[in-house]
Amino acid sequence: MANTNIQEIKNGPLRWINITHISEIEIKYLEENFHFHPLHLKDCLSLSQRPRIEKERDYIFIALLFPVYKRKERKIISAEVDFFIGNDFLITVHRNELAPLINFFNLCQVSQSQRAKYLKDSPANLLYTILKILLDSCLPILDTLNKNISNIEDQIFKGYERRMVKEILLTKRSIICFSQTMQIHRLIMKRLIRISDEFFSLGHLKLYFKELLESSEEIWAALENLSKNISTIEQTNNSLISFRLNDIIKILTIISVTILPVTLTASILSMNVPGSPLRSNPHAFPIIISIMALIFLLTLSIFKSKRWL
């Protein structure tokens, strides 16, 4: 095949066509070789696609989003993969962002035993395997988010609350992006099980597809749990920051209140005006210092008696 973005694996009557870096050229190939709905082909070119499943007369169209963790940028993005499923073919259309899908296709391409194992009879087994691989790829991302949350919690109670504000926001952003990617998977899996019998008999594979549904639900439950955990940690962090800020304000207030009477006393006693009791006293300075110290100690004792210190 001349176009390197269109790769095909065949085992018996079943074909798996994998299309990467989708453009008008690849869309034209699909138009010439298959009778797909124009809107579905147009959706493959769209960069912001919502997950969905639609049934046509001779094929099923599925658009799904899966999370991809960008370790360098420390964020999660959504990668789309579109499926065209017929009686004797499975077409995957994506933008080469999902490493598990790429690796699995390459494995089937070079290994005859893998082709015989996964490309047989109908596309049901192949579709199940691809979906399972993509769902399993979500688990390491969940583990990474879990570790991030645990690390944030440890750092908070070590006294690094202010540093953790950015870390909390980064983790919350990742969880939100992950949740937006996975929120419709359960509904699509349920509908796929209902309508797939019209195209291929699932047989014992129906149990496996139900496992995929359970996996989607487990991932969603894990995301909800992570969301609650990071929200709780954020509240705790904000409370600790507020508590420390209150302590600082309290200390500054105490300093201001204790210094005020001392400063006022020193100003009055050091006034160089007629009638000042210490104006001509040679010991004026030590007397003033002693009075200031006495007032300072008296103010502190009042604060302690009120349990403000």
Side-chain angles (χ1 to χ4, degrees), residues 39-288:
L39 289 179
H40 293 157
L41 296 175
K42 183 179 179 181
D43 288 342
C44 292
L45 287 171
S46 175
L47 292 176
S48 57
Q49 180 65 16
R50 64 179 180 85
R52 71 183 192 279
I53 178 171
E54 293 179 355
K55 180 183 67 173
E56 294 296 326
R57 184 175 58 85
D58 54 355
Y59 72 94
I60 300 173
F61 174 74
I62 305 175
L64 287 174
L65 298 176
F66 291 93
V68 176
Y69 185 65
K70 296 290 186 180
R71 196 169 297 275
K72 187 176 181 180
E73 295 88 354
R74 298 183 62 195
K75 67 177 182 179
I76 292 176
I77 64 169
S78 297
E80 180 185 343
V81 54
D82 300 316
F83 298 89
F84 293 91
I85 310 142
N87 290 319
D88 58 355
F89 66 84
L90 174 65
I91 300 174
T92 50
V93 181
H94 56 98
R95 291 177 175 81
N96 229 25
E97 297 170 315
L98 295 163
L101 176 58
I102 298 167
N103 294 336
F104 178 60
F105 181 85
N106 292 337
L107 178 64
C108 292
Q109 195 173 39
V110 300
S111 173
Q112 176 61 41
S113 62
Q114 296 298 313
R115 288 198 296 272
K117 181 179 179 180
Y118 297 113
L119 279 77
K120 58 181 181 180
D121 302 330
S122 76
N125 185 52
L126 179 59
L127 176 63
Y128 161 76
T129 305
I130 294 173
L131 292 176
K132 178 173 174 53
I133 288 172
L134 291 174
L135 286 174
D136 287 346
S137 69
C138 297
L139 301 181
I141 302 177
L142 288 174
D143 292 339
T144 299
L145 293 175
N146 254 319
K147 290 177 182 177
N148 289 346
I149 291 175
S150 297
N151 181 62
I152 289 170
E153 186 176 5
D154 292 340
Q155 294 300 311
I156 283 174
F157 291 104
K158 288 180 180 178
Y160 302 112
E161 300 91 349
R162 294 180 65 182
R163 295 184 189 177
M164 291 300 105
V165 172
K166 181 180 179 180
E167 297 297 322
I168 289 172
L169 294 178
L170 286 172
T171 304
K172 286 189 73 174
R173 181 184 67 176
S174 296
I175 293 173
I176 290 171
C177 292
F178 201 154
S179 299
Q180 290 174 343
T181 300
M182 299 297 296
Q183 62 185 351
I184 309 181
H185 275 231
R186 296 170 296 170
L187 299 177
I188 291 177
M189 293 296 175
K190 288 179 181 178
R191 190 162 183 224
L192 174 62
I193 293 172
R194 287 200 307 268
I195 68 176
S196 57
D197 286 333
E198 298 181 19
F199 294 90
F200 38 78
S201 177
L202 289 179
H204 69 282
L205 281 176
K206 184 166 287 189
L207 295 175
Y208 296 134
F209 274 86
K210 288 181 179 179
E211 286 182 6
L212 292 180
L213 174 59
E214 292 174 0
S215 297
S216 297
E217 292 174 344
E218 289 172 1
I219 291 172
W220 182 254
L223 284 170
E224 288 184 330
N225 189 48
L226 288 175
S227 180
K228 291 178 182 178
N229 288 345
I230 194 64
S231 295
T232 302
I233 288 175
E234 183 180 29
Q235 292 174 5
T236 302
N237 193 60
N238 291 339
S239 298
L240 288 172
I241 291 175
S242 297
F243 181 76
R244 289 185 179 274
L245 183 61
N246 290 338
D247 271 353
I248 293 172
I249 294 174
K250 178 181 176 181
I251 292 171
L252 292 176
T253 303
I254 290 173
I255 293 173
S256 300
V257 173
T258 53
I259 292 297
L260 179 62
V262 173
T263 305
L264 180 62
T265 302
S267 299
I268 294 174
L269 294 178
S270 61
M271 292 174 63
N272 190 16
V273 296
S276 174
L278 300 176
R279 182 180 181 185
S280 58
N281 193 321
H283 303 292
F285 181 74
I287 292 173
I288 293 174

Side-chain angles (χ1 to χ4, degrees), residues 288-303:
I288 293 174
I289 293 297
S290 299
I291 294 173
M292 290 170 60
L294 181 63
I295 293 174
F296 181 78
L297 293 174
L298 180 63
T299 306
L300 288 180
S301 65
I302 292 173
F303 284 167

